[in-house]
Amino acid sequence: MGYRTLRTCVDDLRRTGHLLVVEDVVDANLEIAEIQRRVYASGGPAVLFANVKDCRFPMVGNLFGSIERARFIFRDTIETVKRLIELKIDPNQLFKSPLRYAYAPLGALSMLPKKVRSGPIFQNEIKLTDLPKLVSWPDDGGPYVTLPQVFTEDQRTGGLTHSNLGMYRVQIAGNDYDPIEEVGLHYQIHRGIGVHHAAAIAKGEPLRVNIFVGGNPAMTLAAVMPLPEGLSELGFAGALAGHRIPMATSRSKLPIYAEADFCISGTIHAGEEKLEGPFGDHLGYYSLRHLFPTMRVEKVYHRDGAIWPFTVVGRPPQEDTTFGELIHEITGPVIPTVLPGVKEVHAVDASGVHPLLLAIGSERYVPYEERRRPKELMTQASAILGQGQMSLAKYLFIAAEQDNPSLNLHEICPFLLHMLRRVDWRRDIHFLTETTIDTLDYSSGQFNHGSKAIIAAVGPPIRELPTEVPSDLNLPDGFHTPKVAMPGVLAVSGPKYEAALQETEPAIERFTSFYSASDAINQFPLVVVVDESEFTAQTLNNLLWVTFTRSNPAADVHGIASSTVQKHWGCEGALVIDARLKPWNAPPLIEDPSVTAKVDAMAAKGGPLAKYL
């Protein structure tokens, strides 16, 4: 049942045609990352880099490069995990369908971590500088661990049942870090480690941290799972691994995953922060330098035959897209039990995940009335934005299941068309200002701070959506090249954004005031002002990425013929989102041309990997 080690997984993938081995010497500085991105984009296999320049360890990437391969890796256990979740929702199902849940008790037993005295992880002790130094993007601040499993315990209670396993990026060199003794630990808002860090600070003690790399792939997935606080990631990992996770207790004050390939062990002390970053992140931009906790490294271990797993993030889709798909597949049925009335929630990967959230809810409050305006949907929207990492969403579009029972949140274009046909901008957009947004999102110009917009629409369609630019459309000076990005959405190129933070931008004011509610542009319920309308309208992914990563709702949502009534803002005409790059936005990710040329040359040489490059 499942793999015991990463090596076993890699060997199985190679034997079954899911993995290729690259014997050529490759550089972990930019080159490996560019290869991985290309292999992922072309639907290629996992890749084991057997000879990494100036490094004794092989590196493996693209393990989770497709949902099919992820299912294959967990093929022995994933159905048992799903059954356990079904029983959590309704325990009576065990008695109604005993054969369906025959293996559930074994899965439940696997959820108990197993304390052991020692393990393979302690076979070798090395220096921090001996680890692979993966640099993914040209302006990254240094090398990073990109698939870390960061383990902490609540120091008020201790014990594996009060632990947290999270994936928080780790910078292992660069900036002002001591390359022998320090790493930067970047954990973001609404992460479980923060509770443990706060408890340690309150006790006046350092927070002990162990960073695992490798081991069973279930540990990697558990580290990114958005589990409710108090539910153990080690338990989830055990169920998905098919065995109890062995945690060694005799060689460290904090348990160490005995089957890990690597472990970096140390402490975080209150008040010790250093600049971490930049880092090319999953929104498709660099997250910039900011102060984050510095970890004092005490020990670095690795097992015999250790393999260094890695991923590369950047503008979606990337390999981490598969994590989102797999998480939804496993935990999707739980949503209605946590959020009553909510059928489904989907964080849109193409928009960078947190910037755009779609949801399907229910309108049951007054079923005898015709659905004319959102009622229960607003209650459900508030609940969604109060739930864990979903609280970081910037735009939430929510529809009523009763209006179209066949709606599917993973068919993004049909869902948005459903919304745009029904939305009444006079009443159906609602703002939350002065609140938290994703740490990696720079659209507000403030760290961890911004605004949100809820768009809730119900009832029958109120408009047809145009698919062509009106022949009588006029644009103000400086605005040009209108393009239909999708039915009902018009992308317009505007002048370069000039205003300072928190100042009114004159060009967008001039744009909205140029029109009245009766003008032809209002055939489009949504107009997006961008730097390059042709690029934005080229694909749906481009539209989602530009619109929702480059706008902060409270500052950048405008409207034609807008007004405020009883403190509610709305507009008679089109909603206008200013999605131009602002001076405070982080720079987009661009490959190094010399590295691109090097990988092009590798592809030209031929070989089994060439067709994926």
Side-chain angles (χ1 to χ4, degrees):
M1 291 288 287
Y3 306 112
R4 298 294 305 193
T5 67
L6 177 59
R7 171 69 67 178
T8 307
C9 174
V10 166
D11 289 346
D12 183 45
L13 293 178
R14 182 178 185 179
R15 185 173 58 253
T16 54
H18 290 281
L19 178 139
L20 288 178
V21 178
V22 175
E23 298 288 356
D24 294 343
V25 176
V26 290
D27 196 338
N29 182 32
L30 300 179
E31 185 181 356
I32 280 180
E34 173 123 1
I35 293 170
Q36 193 276 345
R37 287 192 294 268
R38 294 196 195 190
V39 173
Y40 169 79
S42 60
V47 182
L48 180 70
F49 298 93
N51 295 293
V52 180
K53 182 180 178 182
D54 299 326
C55 180
R56 72 177 82 167
F57 301 106
M59 299 174 65
V60 64
N62 212 38
L63 277 174
F64 302 96
S66 71
I67 189 65
E68 292 77 20
R69 185 153 60 253
R71 291 177 183 139
F72 180 82
I73 289 172
F74 300 120
R75 63 192 180 278
D76 292 337
T77 56
I78 192 168
E79 290 304 317
T80 298
V81 171
K82 291 178 181 178
R83 299 295 88 79
L84 287 170
I85 289 174
E86 290 173 6
L87 290 178
K88 178 177 175 59
I89 296 170
D90 183 6
N92 291 325
Q93 291 297 320
L94 179 61
F95 306 105
K96 295 177 182 178
S97 306
L99 291 178
R100 178 176 174 83
Y101 301 101
Y103 293 101
L106 293 176
L109 287 175
S110 298
M111 295 182 71
L112 298 172
K114 181 180 180 180
K115 290 185 178 181
V116 297
R117 289 193 54 78
S118 189
I121 184 58
F122 300 108
Q123 288 168 336
N124 304 277
E125 186 173 338
I126 57 174
K127 297 178 181 178
L128 187 63
T129 50
D130 293 326
L131 295 175
K133 297 176 178 61
L134 178 76
V135 179
S136 300
W137 294 97
D139 292 329
D140 281 357
Y144 279 84
V145 185
T146 56
L147 284 180
Q149 308 152 27
V150 182
F151 179 79
T152 56
E153 287 183 352
D154 191 327
Q155 294 183 208
R156 295 167 297 185
T157 56
L160 296 175
T161 57
H162 296 92
S163 65
N164 178 74
L165 190 73
M167 190 169 287
Y168 318 117
R169 74 176 188 241
V170 178
Q171 185 173 348
I172 58 175
N175 294 346
D176 292 329
Y177 296 118
D178 183 324
I180 301 294
E181 298 181 344
E182 293 179 337
V183 299
L185 188 58
H186 175 120
Y187 74 78
Q188 300 156 42
I189 196 167
H190 286 289
R191 297 307 196 268
I193 189 176
V195 177
H196 294 175
H197 195 180
I201 291 172
K203 290 187 69 176
E205 299 177 353
L207 177 67
R208 300 207 67 84
V209 180
N210 286 330
I211 302 169
F212 313 132
V213 183
N216 191 292
M219 288 285 281
T220 298
L221 185 64
V224 298
M225 283 292 292
L227 297 174
E229 191 173 321
L231 185 60
S232 168
E233 288 86 4
L234 292 181
F236 175 85
L240 194 58
H243 61 263
R244 298 171 66 187
I245 299 299
M247 299 296 290
T249 57
S250 64
R251 302 277 292 270
S252 171
K253 293 180 181 179
L254 182 68
I256 291 178
Y257 174 33
E259 295 282 3
D261 284 68
F262 299 86
C263 176
I264 306 170
S265 184
T267 54
I268 295 175
H269 294 251
E272 293 188 5
E273 293 94 27
K274 288 189 175 182
L275 289 173
E276 183 268 355
F279 179 74
D281 228 313
H282 70 257
L283 267 72
Y285 308 86
Y286 286 99
S287 54
L288 305 179
R289 286 189 178 92
H290 297 284
L291 289 172
F292 279 96
T294 301
M295 176 177 158
R296 299 184 190 176
V297 176
E298 297 173 352
K299 298 284 185 179
V300 181
Y301 301 107
H302 76 86
R303 65 180 299 146
D304 288 345
I307 301 173
W308 184 268
F310 73 93
T311 190
V312 179
V313 294
R315 182 190 159 186
Q318 299 287 346
E319 185 182 2
D320 54 348
T321 299
T322 304
F323 288 134
E325 290 184 59
L326 198 59
I327 288 168
H328 182 269
E329 186 174 305
I330 293 172
T331 65
V334 177
I335 290 293
T337 69
V338 177
L339 300 167
V342 177
K343 177 185 176 184
E344 190 179 2
V345 179
H346 175 51
V348 178
D349 184 71
S351 72
V353 182
H354 288 134
L356 177 60
L357 203 62
L358 309 180
I360 298 173
S362 302
E363 280 290 340
R364 306 165 300 181
Y365 278 176
V366 278
Y368 53 85
E369 284 188 358
E370 180 185 357
R371 286 188 296 279
R372 291 189 298 271
R373 64 174 64 230
K375 296 183 178 70
E376 192 178 5
L377 285 193
M378 293 304 301
T379 302
Q380 293 158 4
S382 299
I384 291 168
L385 293 179
Q387 185 73 27
Q389 293 183 32
M390 289 190 288
S391 65
L392 301 179
K394 207 166 49 168
Y395 290 86
L396 169 59
F397 284 72
I398 183 168
E401 179 184 12
Q402 292 89 338
D403 291 330
N404 183 357
S406 66
L407 268 182
N408 182 343
L409 293 186
H410 294 270
E411 296 176 354
I412 295 170
C413 185
F415 179 85
L416 293 177
L417 294 177
H418 172 96
M419 294 292 295
L420 292 173
R421 289 187 181 106
R422 289 164 173 79
V423 69
D424 183 339
W425 297 125
R426 294 172 299 180
R427 66 167 191 239
D428 290 342
I429 184 166
H430 311 265
F431 293 91
L432 296 173
T433 61
E434 301 295 336
T435 186
T436 53
I437 60 173
D438 188 1
T439 301
L440 308 178
D441 192 323
Y442 288 86
S443 60
S444 72
Q446 301 179 71
F447 195 51
N448 285 334
H449 188 85
S451 62
K452 307 179 189 301
I454 299 169
I455 295 94
V458 301
I462 62 174
R463 66 174 65 84
E464 293 293 325
L465 300 178
T467 57
E468 296 181 355
V469 177
S471 58
D472 56 346
L473 176 67
N474 294 314
L475 294 171
D477 289 343
F479 294 86
H480 57 91
T481 322
K483 296 288 181 180
V484 178
M486 60 178 283
V489 180
L490 187 69
V492 176
S493 292
K496 182 180 178 181
Y497 192 99
E498 297 289 355
L501 185 64
Q502 296 184 334
E503 286 185 357
T504 301
E505 209 279 329
I508 200 70
E509 291 291 317
R510 184 162 51 81
F511 182 87
T512 55
S513 63
F514 183 79
Y515 299 104
S516 70
S518 60
D519 284 325
I521 195 170
N522 297 301
Q523 296 173 31
F524 292 88
L526 178 59
V527 176
V528 186
V529 176
V530 296
D531 295 300
E532 299 177 71
S533 59
E534 291 185 346
F535 170 81
T536 302
Q538 191 173 37
T539 66
L540 176 62
N541 280 1
N542 285 1
L543 172 67
L544 297 172
W545 183 61
V546 169
T547 302
F548 297 107
T549 63
R550 299 182 182 181
S551 62
N552 172 36
D556 297 322
V557 171
H558 307 268
I560 293 171
S562 65
S563 62
T564 302
V565 179
Q566 294 184 351
K567 298 185 177 64
H568 179 86
W569 182 93
C571 57
E572 296 282 339
L575 193 78
V576 179
I577 298 180
D578 187 349
R580 293 172 292 170
L581 281 170
K582 319 300 191 298
W584 51 86
N585 290 162
L589 302 178
I590 301 172
E591 287 84 358
D592 184 307
S594 64
V595 176
T596 298
K598 188 175 182 181
V599 177
D600 286 342
M602 181 185 293
K605 283 172 53 179
L609 197 58
K611 64 181 179 180
Y612 301 112
L613 299 181

